[in-house]
Amino acid sequence: MESYAGTGRATAARARGALGGVDGNELLTSATAVLLVVLLAAEGITLLDFGGLLSVHMFIGLVLIPPVLLKLASTGYRFARYYLRAPAYREKGPPLLPLRILAPVLAATTVGVLATGVWLLLLGHKSDQVLFLHKALFIAWSVVFGIHFLAYAPRMLRSVFGSTQRLPGTGVRGTLVAASLGAGVALALSLASAIAGWHA
């Protein structure tokens, strides 16, 4: 019996790989999601005094871009592994069908809000049409994100704060999340003059 147990543990360890396999992927996605929730909450606060906090709104919007790309990469990787029939990912199973249907809409509206925000920043006060598109995409994103957040928040919190399981790749996952935040801050600082130019 011990031999079978040892073999099972070895097989599970190989399936996880150096980065924790499917469980490591879920933990990376959840950790990135926690960072995004904090940044989005800060971004939401700027909407309470949009005129006075416009520069902060733009700065945080730029900071959001690399963590969003990291989360899209981690969820995209799981999507690809599942549909390429990797055993561990097939065993984990797909999200519920309504959430699978909403996922592309959430991804598209997220990219759309960020892209039109950067577009507006680079254009200055030159396009009411782009501003309208930015606002319309934000409204659509808010609805879809609200559903996504309510569905996944318990799982996200359990994955990051509730698990006592030690997975391989902890340092790599932490580095990726920290690097995405650092890259976002660097991006925002590099465009600080463009943000200031909006008030000229």
Side-chain angles (χ1 to χ4, degrees), residues 72-118:
L72 289 175
S74 65
T75 53
Y77 179 81
R78 177 182 173 178
F79 174 89
R81 295 285 286 164
Y82 177 82
Y83 285 103
L84 289 173
R85 299 188 174 278
Y89 287 83
R90 298 293 292 185
E91 183 179 346
K92 190 78 171 179
L96 295 174
L97 182 59
L99 297 176
R100 273 186 282 168
I101 294 171
L102 280 178
V105 182
L106 178 61
T109 53
T110 300
V111 172
V113 169
L114 293 174
T116 52
V118 173

Side-chain angles (χ1 to χ4, degrees):
M1 181 177 266
E2 275 186 30
S3 175
Y4 284 123
T7 302
R9 284 193 295 268
T11 302
R14 282 196 298 273
R16 285 176 180 163
L19 297 178
V22 63
D23 293 326
N25 173 263
E26 181 174 344
L27 186 52
L28 174 61
T29 302
S30 297
T32 309
V34 169
L35 172 60
L36 286 172
V37 166
V38 173
L39 291 173
L40 288 170
E43 187 79 322
I45 290 172
T46 66
L47 299 178
L48 300 176
D49 181 17
F50 194 67
L53 296 174
L54 180 57
S55 294
V56 179
H57 179 83
M58 292 178 169
F59 190 93
I60 296 173
L62 292 168
V63 173
L64 277 163
I65 293 175
V68 164
L69 292 177
L70 178 60
K71 188 167 187 296
L72 289 175
S74 65
T75 53
Y77 179 81
R78 177 182 173 178
F79 174 89
R81 295 285 286 164
Y82 177 82
Y83 285 103
L84 289 173
R85 299 188 174 278
Y89 287 83
R90 298 293 292 185
E91 183 179 346
K92 190 78 171 179
L96 295 174
L97 182 59
L99 297 176
R100 273 186 282 168
I101 294 171
L102 280 178
V105 182
L106 178 61
T109 53
T110 300
V111 172
V113 169
L114 293 174
T116 52
V118 173
W119 193 2
L120 279 169
L121 177 61
L122 299 178
L123 285 174
H125 296 273
K126 296 177 183 177
S127 179
D128 291 337
Q129 291 82 4
V130 178
L131 180 59
F132 174 80
L133 181 59
H134 182 68
K135 290 178 178 179
L137 284 167
F138 174 76
I139 292 169
W141 172 86
S142 298
V143 174
V144 179
F145 175 77
I147 298 170
H148 178 86
F149 178 78
L150 291 175
Y152 280 105
R155 180 175 173 177
M156 174 187 72
L157 294 173
R158 282 196 306 270
S159 178
V160 175
F161 302 109
S163 177
T164 58
Q165 187 179 23
R166 181 75 174 179
L167 293 174
T170 300
V172 175
R173 288 189 295 274
T175 299
L176 286 172
V177 175
S180 72
L181 177 60
V185 172
L187 175 63
L189 290 173
S190 72
L191 291 172
S193 59
I195 294 174
W198 249 77
H199 300 284

